[in-house]
Amino acid sequence: MSSNTSSPIVVAMDFDNAKACLDLASRLSPQYCRLKVGKELFTSCGPQIVETLMQKGFDIFLDLKFHDIPNTTAKAVKAAADLGVWMVNVHASGGERMMLAAREILDQSSGQKPLLIAVTVLTSMEQSDLLGVGVAYPIDNQVERLAGLAHYCGLDGIVCSAREAKQMRQQFDQNFCLVTPGIRMADSPADDQRRTLTPVQAMQEGSSYLVIGRPITGAENPAQACENIFNELVQNGFGN
Ligand code: C5P
């Protein structure tokens, strides 16, 4: 779909109310970033908040991580497309038939098609968590398996840790989007993120889009923080 910016920055709008979200949006520019609307904001404010943000010129990544039977997931993806979002995601662990159904419904629709992205293994999960849900493979193997399945099903990319981007980029060509959270500036606190990379490092590892929350949303001047990251990326040959 057509886009408002070439910036790889996607700001995570992790808020529980429209006012806080719109206050921040009014301080950001669609020239330098896109916005990610997740479960908390969407559940609190509904599709209206997505429409309002799009009216302000922002591309929206609707991060609802759909995971259901193929028919239900496909229809949810179609509803996201009808809303006009730029990117939407599903859990790859929903399986081949679910991802194919999501792909097919977008391919058959005549309207705008959002990028369809898969979540592989949540980065919050450790080996013991995988074992708890009956997966005995090492995490890396499971990520590779689900990424390969998403690629086979024609999805446009995956969400992965920036630390996994290099390995994923070796496996998939440049057209396969790698959407990576866990981004921190060299001088910003890690918060609850564990294995972080700077924006430039993440792009060098092969990321396509950088999901950045608190380093921008928590900055004294979010617009400046976002513009600084954008300029640093451009200076290093990423985005323009
Ligand atoms: O504030 P921070 O930059 O840590 O925000 C990162 C965003 O990316 C949050 O919305 C978080 O839920 C999301 N995310 C993540 N790790 C993943 C997937 C999504 O941090 N593996």
Side-chain angles (χ1 to χ4, degrees), residues 89-168:
N89 59 2
V90 301
H91 269 286
S93 52
E96 180 176 329
R97 284 190 300 117
M98 187 202 79
M99 285 193 280
L100 286 175
R103 178 73 277 162
E104 194 181 341
I105 207 164
L106 288 184
D107 288 348
Q108 284 173 354
S109 94
S110 54
Q112 293 198 323
K113 295 185 208 337
L115 291 168
L116 180 59
I117 302 295
V119 176
T120 57
V121 177
L122 291 169
T123 49
S124 54
M125 292 189 93
E126 297 177 354
Q127 198 65 54
S128 56
D129 298 307
L130 274 192
L131 263 181
V133 293
V135 177
Y137 300 105
I139 285 189
D140 288 358
N141 291 18
Q142 184 66 359
V143 169
E144 255 180 63
R145 171 189 298 253
L146 291 174
L149 188 61
H151 186 261
Y152 168 79
C153 293
L155 269 68
D156 297 303
I158 53 170
V159 181
C160 65
S161 148
R163 296 267 179 175
E164 290 162 1
K166 192 172 194 169
Q167 183 201 343
M168 290 294 134

Side-chain angles (χ1 to χ4, degrees), residues 10-14 36-38 61 63 65 89 119 121-124 159-161 179-184 189-193 196 211-218:
V10 182
V11 180
M13 304 298 270
D14 292 327
K36 178 172 90 70
V37 173
F61 170 17
D63 178 21
K65 300 186 182 70
N89 59 2
V119 176
V121 177
L122 291 169
T123 49
S124 54
V159 181
C160 65
S161 148
V179 181
T180 61
I183 306 295
R184 287 295 179 272
D191 304 309
D192 53 355
Q193 298 284 9
T196 62
V211 175
I212 308 178
R214 287 159 289 182
I216 291 176
T217 60

